[in-house]
Amino acid sequence: MKPKNLLLLAVMIMYTALAGLAQNGAYKEPPAKDIFQFGQRRSLPDLSKYPGISLQGTNTAFMKGINSFNANEIKKHPEEFKQQLQKGRAIGSQSFQRNHMHAANGPEGNNSHSDFHLTKDLNALAESNPGNAADFYVNTSYATLHQVAYFAADDGVHGNELWRSDGTAAGTFMVKDIEPGAASTYLYNITAVNGKIYFSAATAAYGLEPWVSDGTENGTQLLMDIKPGPLWSYPTEFAGADNQVYFVSDGDFSSWGALWKTDGTTAGTKLVKSIGDEGGGGTLITQPTEANGQLFFTFLNFSTFSWELWRSDGTNAGTYAVSSNTYFPSVPAQLTHYNNKLYFSADDGTGRKLWVSDGTDAGTTPAPNNNDIVIDADYLGTTFPVLNSVLYIPG
């Protein structure tokens, strides 16, 4: 399991420790083999040994994280990689893994002044499994727009559909029964951007395609049937930049290789560039991040067999790689907007360090005065913390 899941691991370890103390009633000295000196590394546990923990995600192939795709290994067996990727995608389209929440009820009548309480029992007969799964990231929060949270849930009557909540029972209800009746909608990647809710949803009529919602039933509509009929375009990675909303879908021959932009209407939804179908091909446009009016993202190029940093201004000509002079065997990560530039972690063979880009090839370099600090993290879907105009990195 890669470092991006350290937060989940920390929660598991803390829960296990607390449970042990509660059962034993007193602290016990751990075995000598479990005692590690400060600064000493230990291997991460195998989460597959914990069947009670269900990692959210729509594709089994990505449970180990995108950063497990090492360009050097892919170069040795490119066709095998493509077959494994497609197999994982097929499995994901057949089975939607829900995140099962198990919470113990605390004693009644305590003296706590907390307002922590059940908002609404969405499913009176079983678990409603409210959540927001994503293609590439294990932990995904609810999308929030105008003080309202949006998520997917199953009330036992309408199947898995889009819900909303303002924190009150009356303000918690299903937005729309997208797949009418008891059938469930395969719904995830819920994202609030530019005043609307965007998400991926699969129906029998349209397959898996991008949807948009203004938070009302009538305002929840199919954005575009990119691959007509029941075929799936696999939309994902909704993000905003320079008053545009971008997202990623499959190309004609590539997996997650096409970049799109939209204004929230079908007429205003346009293909920017099918990157994965050009040249030697490629896959996995990930981590779209706005910095100084430009959209930055990472891409796995099959021609160079390396990960690349790209930028886009929303046009085909203005969408290109800005790291063509550098070979990245593993995925750049932690893309962060700071001081009108993009900062990120990347490994060019000398270790994962801090890099910076102004959106040009010449301006994409190791960060000046980085003191040769090796960054001990490569989390996807997260940014470096910025506090009081200072950027912080772990290293």
Side-chain angles (χ1 to χ4, degrees), residues 35-113:
I35 299 178
F36 285 76
Q37 299 300 321
F38 177 77
Q40 181 181 356
R41 290 195 176 210
R42 64 181 302 174
S43 59
L44 298 178
D46 182 3
L47 290 185
S48 65
K49 297 179 181 179
Y50 300 88
I53 300 297
S54 176
L55 298 181
Q56 280 197 33
T58 62
N59 200 308
T60 306
F62 297 100
M63 285 302 177
K64 295 182 179 180
I66 292 180
N67 46 357
S68 65
F69 291 144
N70 186 285
N72 289 326
E73 296 302 318
I74 294 173
K75 187 175 182 179
K76 297 177 183 177
H77 307 286
E79 291 303 320
E80 181 179 342
F81 166 76
K82 292 180 181 179
Q83 292 175 4
Q84 291 177 351
L85 181 63
Q86 292 300 326
K87 180 180 179 180
R89 295 284 294 277
I91 294 174
S93 67
Q94 297 169 3
S95 175
F96 176 63
Q97 296 190 20
R98 295 175 178 172
N99 184 37
H100 293 78
M101 306 289 289
H102 300 283
N105 294 324
E108 297 182 1
N110 59 47
N111 296 321
S112 172
H113 296 287

Side-chain angles (χ1 to χ4, degrees), residues 256-271:
W256 290 306
L259 179 67
W260 291 74
K261 67 177 181 179
T262 182
D263 61 2
T265 68
T266 300
T269 302
K270 309 291 184 182
L271 175 66

Side-chain angles (χ1 to χ4, degrees), residues 118-188:
L118 176 67
T119 301
K120 189 173 186 177
D121 188 358
L122 307 186
N123 191 329
L125 300 179
E127 295 177 346
S128 63
N129 294 301
N132 183 18
D135 281 300
F136 305 137
Y137 315 118
V138 173
N139 298 307
T140 313
S141 60
Y142 293 174
T144 56
L145 179 66
H146 306 315
Q147 305 302 311
V148 175
Y150 292 84
F151 54 94
D154 184 351
D155 64 358
V157 178
H158 302 93
N160 191 71
E161 299 293 345
L162 180 65
W163 282 67
R164 53 147 283 167
S165 177
D166 62 2
T168 68
T172 302
F173 51 84
M174 185 176 67
V175 177
K176 184 171 184 173
D177 189 6
I178 297 174
E179 188 76 281
S184 290
T185 301
Y186 187 39
L187 187 152
Y188 60 111

Side-chain angles (χ1 to χ4, degrees), residues 4 7 34 58 69 92 229 244 319 346 362-363 376 381:
K4 72 171 186 173
L7 179 59
D34 293 333
T58 62
F69 291 144
Q244 291 281 344
T319 303
D376 192 24

Side-chain angles (χ1 to χ4, degrees), residues 4-5 28 48 69 79 92 99 171 211 226 265 284 286 311 343 353 359 361 366 376:
K4 72 171 186 173
N5 292 323
K28 293 183 179 181
S48 65
F69 291 144
E79 291 303 320
N99 184 37
W211 285 65
I226 295 176
T265 68
L284 298 173
T286 66
R311 56 87 73 182
Y343 284 78
K353 299 175 184 177
D361 213 344
D376 192 24

